[in-house]
Amino acid sequence: MRISILATLAALLLTAGIACYAQPTGLVQNPSARLNLSLNGPWKTIVDPYQAGYYDFHLNPLRDGGLGADRVPANKSDRLELTFLPNANTLQVPGDWNTQKLEFLWYEGTIWYKREFDYAKKPGRRLFLWFGAANYQAIVFLNGQKLGQHEGGFTPFQFEVTGAVRNGANAVIVKVDDQRHADAVPPAMTDWWNYGGLTRDVKLIDVPDTFIQDYFVQLEKGSLNRIAGWVRLDGSQKRQRVSIRVPESGASTTVDTDANGYAHFAFNATLTPWSPENPKLYDVSVEAESDRVQDRIGFRTIETSGQKILLNGKPVFLRGVSIHAEAPFRAGRVFSEADARVLLTWAKELGCNFVRLAHYPHDEVMTRMADQMGLLVWSEVPVYWAIQWENPAAYANAERQLTEMITRDHNRASIVFWSMANETPLGDARLKFLASMAAKARELDSTRLITAATLVHYSDPTTITVDDPLGQYLDVLGCNEYIGWYDGPPSKADNIVFKTVYDKPMVVSEFGGEAPYGRHGDEDTAWTEEFQANVYRHQIPMLRKIPFLQGMTAWILMDFRCPRRPLAGIQDYYNRKGLLSDRGEKKQAYYVLRDYYRSLAAR
Ligand code: GCB
């Protein structure tokens, strides 16, 4: 692992106060705004726990392509086994398989998906087969030919299929494998359900021969009236005149892209800044000679000054809650605007101005909804617990997922933090790994703050000292602590003081306790709402005393499924640290935190 020359250059330019913009990867920005054919809906499926559709009996990849080749029996004596029959079972896309059929609840392995579609190709257009996410590994075939594969369960990926799509009938086949591996990102041990499948939208995106592949439109760091960013075209006519307009503010600029299709721009604009109190979004249009795309973008600045966090130049305290991408009422993965609206409305009602979208990039519906509803966002990659820090392939995987996350969401005003990791153990290899990740994130986006959720370290029995060496690479220190739950009784918090070796702000990125909704007892009885509420009652005074604390995200908004939580009659394979149950019932702790957040908001 090494910090790339580009990243070093970026860091140098940043130190010199010059904003810099790296060229993005190839993902199509804002796919919903493009002409597209949705491939959502029922897909035929074949469950394949031994991966017999891909490997032969000696575990070599099948030479004839196996199920991906999409063969049909040639005649009535053909004994073809690897084929999708017309009466194949189906699963809905988007959707994890675990919650669609009871027999798949615990299934981890391969399921093959097939979807047929008709397409009328138009000359001069290019086509991309785009997946919002597939957990965890996807191998994609179109019309019997392998297009490629993708690893990582929470970020988008695409294949150019301009030549491979046929006029008329087409078939996509995807092998999705959600087995957990020690060398993967996340690794085999996590504290959430390993929901498998094509968990987000699938689309065929249709763009002009030369199209606006990506654009970055945000305020210049530190400025409230200067928009800066870049645009990148892809195709045969890379040199074009491109205009960027914010019609409501009357601001616009025109630039010429270079031989790589790239142009940087900066122009003045009078704007109402985006904030949780006023989440103002503007229509923004990016128009090249051959293509045009429209987005809704908010403009705000985020920076630190000593131990403070400044939003639009003013100190902000982050009243937050962590959220898993677990759908309310029905379990399974979040994929719809309705799911996002329910979760984020609950966060708002709790008094939040901030959410930590743990522990991996959530569906784009969440970050777009946060933009609309006015919630600041911590967005995170699944570099979680025990990653193989010395394994270059694990690093490359993590860095690619980081790049995909930032590329997808770099125009979302709500996102203020890119988080590199959660609760990773101290060590040289881990430090090198995460320092490289932080450098990469800064190279891709110099406008947002870099953070990570670290573990707490006691320097004596009543002092927690924030001294993780990773802190030197972060703008904001994240710190998870479970005083009152894993760490002593709730009253332990009364005597704890926090110190730091950094002149940087800190956010307590997790704290909490566990209780199923409706289970009651006195406040010393574990697994009761009263006990959980008592954890919060002791946490709040402790947190209030930390001078460098600039925010907190309680763990967690809603109970979520988790195989590590077997306790019968209490957990039943749910992590019950939710302030709300998975059915939206509010526990006593919810009201304790809500009252505190309301009092903070009223100041
Ligand atoms: C943590 C982890 C989170 C767990 C939580 C818990 O520290 O970051 O993923 O779910 O604790 O409930 O134990």
Side-chain angles (χ1 to χ4, degrees):
M1 232 139 323
R2 72 198 155 80
I3 299 177
S4 71
I5 297 170
L6 253 180
T8 318
L9 192 67
L12 283 175
L13 288 171
L14 279 175
T15 331
I18 302 165
C20 58
Y21 303 95
Q23 306 246 343
T25 61
L27 280 167
V28 177
Q29 180 61 222
N30 194 6
S32 317
R34 311 304 174 108
L35 183 64
N36 69 77
L37 174 71
S38 168
L39 298 178
N40 291 349
W43 287 51
K44 287 182 184 155
T45 51
I46 294 176
V47 185
D48 186 14
Y50 283 26
Q51 305 186 71
Y54 197 75
Y55 295 107
D56 70 12
F57 69 131
H58 288 157
L59 218 60
N60 298 310
L62 288 164
R63 289 230 198 96
D64 65 3
L67 266 175
D70 201 18
R71 267 185 299 275
V72 289
N75 53 49
K76 67 178 183 181
S77 19
D78 192 344
R79 275 95 58 209
L80 183 66
E81 283 180 287
L82 297 175
T83 183
F84 279 88
L85 294 174
N87 63 348
N89 287 321
T90 60
L91 284 168
Q92 287 295 325
V93 173
D96 58 273
W97 61 58
N98 312 74
T99 54
Q100 294 195 46
K101 293 198 171 137
L102 200 55
E103 66 264 33
F104 294 155
L105 181 61
W106 293 95
Y107 182 67
E108 293 185 300
T110 284
I111 291 189
W112 292 82
Y113 287 74
K114 177 175 176 180
R115 167 76 195 240
E116 285 151 314
F117 64 93
D118 283 338
Y119 209 68
K121 290 177 79 171
K122 292 166 249 54
R125 306 285 298 184
R126 290 168 68 188
L127 299 171
F128 291 86
L129 185 56
W130 180 93
F131 296 83
N135 190 36
Y136 167 79
Q137 189 209 45
I139 305 180
V140 183
F141 302 80
L142 180 66
N143 298 329
Q145 298 303 312
K146 183 169 166 179
L147 296 175
Q149 63 188 62
H150 179 264
E151 223 181 296
F154 304 98
T155 43
F157 56 97
Q158 67 183 35
F159 302 97
E160 176 150 17
V161 290
T162 308
V165 168
R166 294 186 196 131
N167 240 334
N170 292 272
V172 191
I173 292 180
V174 190
K175 174 184 184 294
V176 185
D177 181 354
D178 79 338
Q179 285 177 88
R180 289 167 295 116
H181 297 283
D183 61 353
V185 180
M189 181 63 93
T190 66
D191 197 43
W192 65 81
W193 205 270
N194 183 28
Y195 290 112
L198 295 176
T199 51
R200 296 184 190 161
D201 294 344
V202 183
K203 303 177 202 288
L204 184 70
I205 299 173
D206 184 325
V207 290
D209 172 61
T210 301
F211 70 103
I212 300 164
Q213 182 205 50
D214 199 358
Y215 50 88
F216 182 75
V217 186
Q218 291 281 278
L219 282 178
E220 198 167 88
K221 198 158 182 80
S223 166
L224 280 169
N225 57 13
R226 195 160 169 79
I227 294 175
W230 48 258
V231 55
R232 185 177 144 131
L233 309 183
D234 187 73
S236 54
Q237 306 291 315
K238 292 214 174 61
R239 290 184 186 276
Q240 293 194 24
R241 182 142 283 206
V242 182
S243 69
I244 298 90
R245 284 200 204 106
V246 188
E248 193 183 330
S249 83
S252 67
T253 194
T254 302
V255 283
D256 292 317
T257 48
D258 64 17
N260 298 315
Y262 178 82
H264 173 256
F265 55 79
F267 59 104
N268 292 338
T270 308
L271 299 160
T272 302
W274 182 100
S275 69
E277 295 73 36
N278 183 15
K280 170 75 189 153
L281 298 178
Y282 288 88
D283 284 331
V284 173
S285 79
V286 182
E287 196 166 345
E289 290 155 34
S290 61
D291 191 19
R292 178 172 197 274
V293 63
Q294 187 91 10
D295 209 333
R296 298 271 297 159
I297 297 181
F299 298 95
R300 53 100 197 92
T301 62
I302 190 78
E303 59 205 319
T304 62
S305 168
Q307 295 181 336
K308 297 246 179 287
I309 299 172
L310 307 181
L311 174 68
N312 300 322
K314 294 191 204 101
V316 63
F317 188 86
L318 305 172
R319 310 183 304 272
V321 72
S322 298
I323 304 181
H324 258 295
E326 181 115 347
F329 305 115
R330 64 169 163 82
R333 283 277 172 246
V334 164
F335 54 71
S336 70
E337 284 197 3
D339 295 335
R341 193 176 292 283
V342 170
L343 291 172
L344 297 182
T345 301
W346 284 343
K348 278 256 166 190
E349 286 170 359
L350 180 64
C352 293
N353 59 5
F354 177 53
V355 288
R356 175 181 178 206
L357 299 184
H359 280 301
Y360 37 74
H362 288 210
D363 194 299
E364 198 176 335
V365 290
M366 285 292 277
T367 50
R368 285 196 175 262
M369 190 63 76
D371 262 15
Q372 283 173 40
M373 291 178 63
L375 282 157
L376 295 156
V377 170
W378 161 314
S379 182
E380 178 163 322
V381 280
V383 175
Y384 183 90
W385 289 356
I387 294 282
Q388 288 187 350
W389 307 112
E390 308 207 27
N391 176 348
Y395 180 78
N397 183 350
E399 194 190 90
R400 190 183 28 73
Q401 293 190 45
L402 175 78
T403 304
E404 289 162 352
M405 170 178 79
I406 295 178
T407 302
R408 191 194 75 179
D409 274 355
H410 58 201
N411 292 311
R412 302 283 71 80
S414 52
I415 299 183
V416 286
F417 297 161
W418 299 124
S419 171
M420 302 299 106
N422 180 71
E423 292 188 350
T424 51
L426 297 183
D428 290 346
R430 167 265 197 180
L431 190 59
K432 240 172 121 182
F433 186 113
L434 295 179
S436 285
M437 291 275 289
K440 181 69 186 178
R442 291 184 200 284
E443 174 199 325
L444 291 167
D445 178 7
S446 61
T447 71
R448 290 179 176 80
L449 304 176
I450 305 300
T451 192
T454 61
L455 292 158
V456 291
H457 306 122
Y458 281 89
S459 44
D460 67 52
T462 56
T463 310
I464 290 174
T465 302
V466 180
D467 59 359
D468 187 323
L470 180 60
Q472 63 193 292
Y473 301 102
L474 306 178
D475 300 308
V476 174
L477 310 156
C479 177
N480 294 356
E481 53 87 6
Y482 280 92
I483 298 162
W485 188 253
Y486 300 122
D487 178 8
S491 60
K492 179 176 177 185
D494 305 349
N495 300 315
I496 299 293
V497 289
F498 276 73
K499 293 198 173 138
T500 180
V501 300
Y502 296 109
D503 186 27
K504 296 184 180 189
M506 180 178 79
V507 169
V508 167
S509 32
E510 285 181 32
F511 63 97
E514 194 154 346
Y517 170 78
R519 192 176 160 91
H520 295 291
D522 61 41
E523 63 182 31
D524 294 326
T525 304
W527 311 109
T528 63
E529 284 196 44
E530 286 74 8
F531 191 107
Q532 186 194 28
N534 198 35
V535 171
Y536 279 78
R537 267 190 219 103
H538 287 273
Q539 280 285 322
I540 290 167
M542 177 192 76
L543 295 172
R544 290 174 80 137
K545 283 189 299 211
I546 307 173
F548 49 96
L549 187 78
Q550 301 307 342
M552 55 182 85
T553 63
W555 191 260
I556 185 166
L557 181 67
M558 188 190 86
D559 293 350
F560 59 97
R561 275 213 164 111
C562 179
R564 293 178 79 245
R565 308 285 170 179
L567 196 60
I570 293 178
Q571 293 176 312
D572 300 317
Y573 300 102
Y574 274 81
N575 182 318
R576 304 272 182 201
K577 294 192 186 71
L579 294 164
L580 291 92
S581 75
D582 53 303
R583 317 187 68 77
E585 296 140 328
K586 296 176 173 120
K587 304 180 194 172
Q588 292 183 12
Y590 168 93
Y591 296 101
V592 178
L593 189 64
R594 187 198 64 179
D595 290 350
Y596 177 51
Y597 281 173
R598 282 190 178 169
S599 73
L600 285 177
R603 272 185 209 167

